[in-house]
Amino acid sequence: MNRFRSIPAILLLFAAGALASPAQAPIPEDSVYRLPLQLTDQHGKSWRWEEKRGKPQVVAMFYTSCQYICPLIVNSGKGVEHALTPAERGRIGFLLISMDPVRDTPAALMSVAKKRDLDAAQWTLASPKAADVRSVAGVLGVRYRQLSDGEFNHTSALVLLDAEGRIVARTEQVGSKVDPEFLAAVRRVLAR
């Protein structure tokens, strides 16, 4: 009797190296993770953006010194988070990427995370290198420009990425009232 009969064939192929594991599979052509991007988070840890691969993400761009729109963007993310069940929350991440990396140091990012009571298990606040801000904004469809006083005019949006980094949905409805279509898209991604 074949002792491997009870092991599914697909597992045998992985064990034999005939198939690449999902983590080793190439990044899809339409994934934002194809952009080589180094980020530094609120804990001072640097990592590659593609390390978020494998878990859907709600992503937005912001800057910590913003007093009006960026807090509403955070409220939007928190609204989505609170509308999900605890099990759903455990399967999605929330990523806020700074458009002002000069001022948005790990300490500034941590200050916002604490002030806004953002759960570190779910929320990552991070800054790219200054030279990479335009590129990340471009792949997320965020338009911005810095004003002479150091503030920014920018698109206010939440972008939903699937586990492979493909843009699945987007909303520009910001504030504590959750966009029902965006929330439905989050739930569809989590049900996959």
Side-chain angles (χ1 to χ4, degrees):
M1 182 168 166
N2 184 344
R3 65 185 177 138
F4 296 111
R5 183 167 286 172
S6 65
I7 300 174
I10 192 82
L11 291 178
L12 290 174
L13 290 171
F14 273 112
L19 294 176
S21 71
Q24 296 169 329
I27 297 173
E29 290 291 325
D30 56 348
S31 173
V32 299
Y33 297 142
R34 291 187 68 82
L35 175 69
L37 183 66
Q38 190 81 16
L39 295 161
T40 301
D41 66 23
Q42 72 264 36
H43 304 288
K45 180 183 174 213
S46 292
W47 43 275
R48 292 181 331 273
W49 192 15
E50 69 186 64
E51 292 177 38
K52 291 291 184 183
R53 188 175 178 205
K55 184 176 187 179
Q57 301 287 318
V58 173
V59 182
M61 291 193 75
F62 84 125
Y63 63 105
T64 62
S65 61
C66 178
Q67 298 299 309
Y68 179 65
I69 294 297
C70 296
L72 292 176
I73 292 170
V74 175
N75 286 349
S76 297
K78 288 180 81 168
V80 170
E81 178 184 32
H82 293 304
L84 299 173
T85 67
E88 288 171 328
R89 280 184 220 135
R91 296 192 320 265
I92 193 162
F94 294 84
L95 174 61
L96 297 175
I97 300 175
S98 174
M99 62 186 69
D100 188 11
V102 172
R103 292 187 288 182
D104 288 346
T105 63
L109 297 170
M110 182 60 83
S111 177
V112 168
K114 286 180 178 178
K115 180 179 177 182
R116 298 304 308 270
D117 195 28
L118 302 178
D119 181 358
Q122 300 304 124
W123 288 80
T124 304
L125 286 67
S127 290
K129 294 177 183 163
D132 293 333
V133 174
R134 186 74 52 200
S135 297
V136 70
V139 299
L140 294 173
V142 172
R143 294 184 324 268
Y144 75 95
R145 67 183 172 98
Q146 190 166 14
L147 305 174
S148 60
D149 64 359
E151 298 297 309
F152 291 83
N153 279 343
H154 61 92
T155 306
S156 304
L158 295 181
V159 178
L160 175 62
L161 305 179
D162 70 9
E164 290 296 320
R166 295 181 195 99
I167 296 175
V168 175
R170 168 189 189 87
T171 183
E172 292 188 15
Q173 180 177 318
V174 295
S176 55
K177 184 178 178 189
V178 177
D179 179 339
E181 291 179 24
F182 188 79
L183 181 60
V186 169
R187 288 202 162 110
R188 281 192 301 274
V189 165
L190 292 174
R192 292 182 189 164

